[in-house]
Amino acid sequence: MNARKLVYLFFSTLLIGASSGAIVGVLLDLETYISGGILNFIFGVLWMFGISAAISLVAQMGYFAYLTLHRFALGLFKSVKLWNWVQIVLILFVLFDLIYLRYVAFASEEETIAGYVIMPLLLFVYCILVAFRKQQETNKEAFVPALFFMFAVTTIEWVPALTVETVNETKWLWIYLTPLITANTWQLLILHRLTGGSLRTNK
């Protein structure tokens, strides 16, 4: 991939992540943004755009870190199937942690674990759909790596919001997650188009 395509990938991912985060952030707290007049709305949108842009940069670093890890793991395990099984185990471990550890850390006496299941499961289902799309556009070996990146890596990038009690609210969790999930989806589905190939794991 040449420099022009790298620049396109960087700025398109930044714009998509920042825009999606700004839109969701404003819609989730619309009254606050429109109650202070037009200048309050403009500066509020710019502020949310900036926060979302910073979060999308985290997503980009996470993607290239995973690509490096993926190649390193293939060389280490010497087997695509073994590395895929390792990723599947890690995916299940992350799913369990995302539900149970947040419940233990933040649940009040009145809350049940059911309230901490919905968001992780919605994220997991979405990641499965994106991974299936990646498989359709490339090859069958791409499904597990794509699912691992979309779910496990996105969750790791989401950790700052998940572990800070002051942002452990549905609104702020979505504000943090939206730039991550849109940026990661875009990166995953655009890379093979830019490179003219596919994320093959059998090399």
Side-chain angles (χ1 to χ4, degrees), residues 61-180:
M61 289 187 291
Y63 186 46
F64 285 100
Y66 173 69
L67 291 177
T68 302
L69 171 66
H70 180 69
R71 289 302 172 187
F72 175 79
L74 287 175
L76 178 65
F77 290 105
K78 305 295 184 181
S79 168
V80 174
K81 290 184 178 179
L82 179 57
W83 170 226
N84 281 348
W85 276 111
V86 170
Q87 291 182 97
I88 290 171
V89 171
L90 291 174
I91 289 169
L92 296 177
F93 182 76
V94 170
L95 179 60
F96 172 79
D97 280 354
L98 191 55
I99 297 171
Y100 183 72
L101 294 185
R102 284 191 62 241
Y103 169 73
V104 171
F106 298 113
S108 62
E109 294 182 359
E110 297 79 17
E111 290 181 307
T112 65
I113 196 171
Y116 290 81
V117 171
I118 297 174
M119 184 176 285
L121 287 184
L122 287 175
L123 175 61
F124 189 61
V125 170
Y126 174 81
C127 293
I128 290 176
L129 295 176
V130 174
F132 182 69
R133 177 64 179 271
K134 180 71 174 184
Q135 176 184 296
Q136 285 184 315
E137 294 186 3
T138 55
N139 56 76
K140 64 180 181 180
E141 290 86 6
F143 180 82
V144 173
L147 179 59
F148 181 85
F149 168 71
M150 285 301 302
F151 186 72
V153 176
T154 299
T155 300
I156 293 171
E157 296 166 346
W158 199 21
V159 162
L162 295 172
T163 55
V164 178
E165 188 172 0
T166 54
V167 296
N168 186 50
E169 301 176 4
T170 301
K171 179 184 74 175
W172 281 104
L173 290 177
W174 281 114
I175 289 173
Y176 273 76
L177 177 62
T178 301
L180 292 175

Side-chain angles (χ1 to χ4, degrees), residues 9-10 12-14 16 55-65 67 130 134 149-150 153-154 157 179-194:
L9 177 62
F10 173 80
S12 62
T13 303
L14 185 67
I16 289 172
I55 297 173
S56 72
L57 289 176
V58 174
Q60 294 193 55
M61 289 187 291
Y63 186 46
F64 285 100
L67 291 177
V130 174
K134 180 71 174 184
F149 168 71
M150 285 301 302
V153 176
T154 299
E157 296 166 346
L180 292 175
I181 200 70
T182 53
N184 283 341
T185 300
W186 172 253
Q187 292 178 108
L188 186 70
L189 296 181
I190 197 64
L191 184 62
H192 59 272
R193 295 184 176 93
L194 293 177

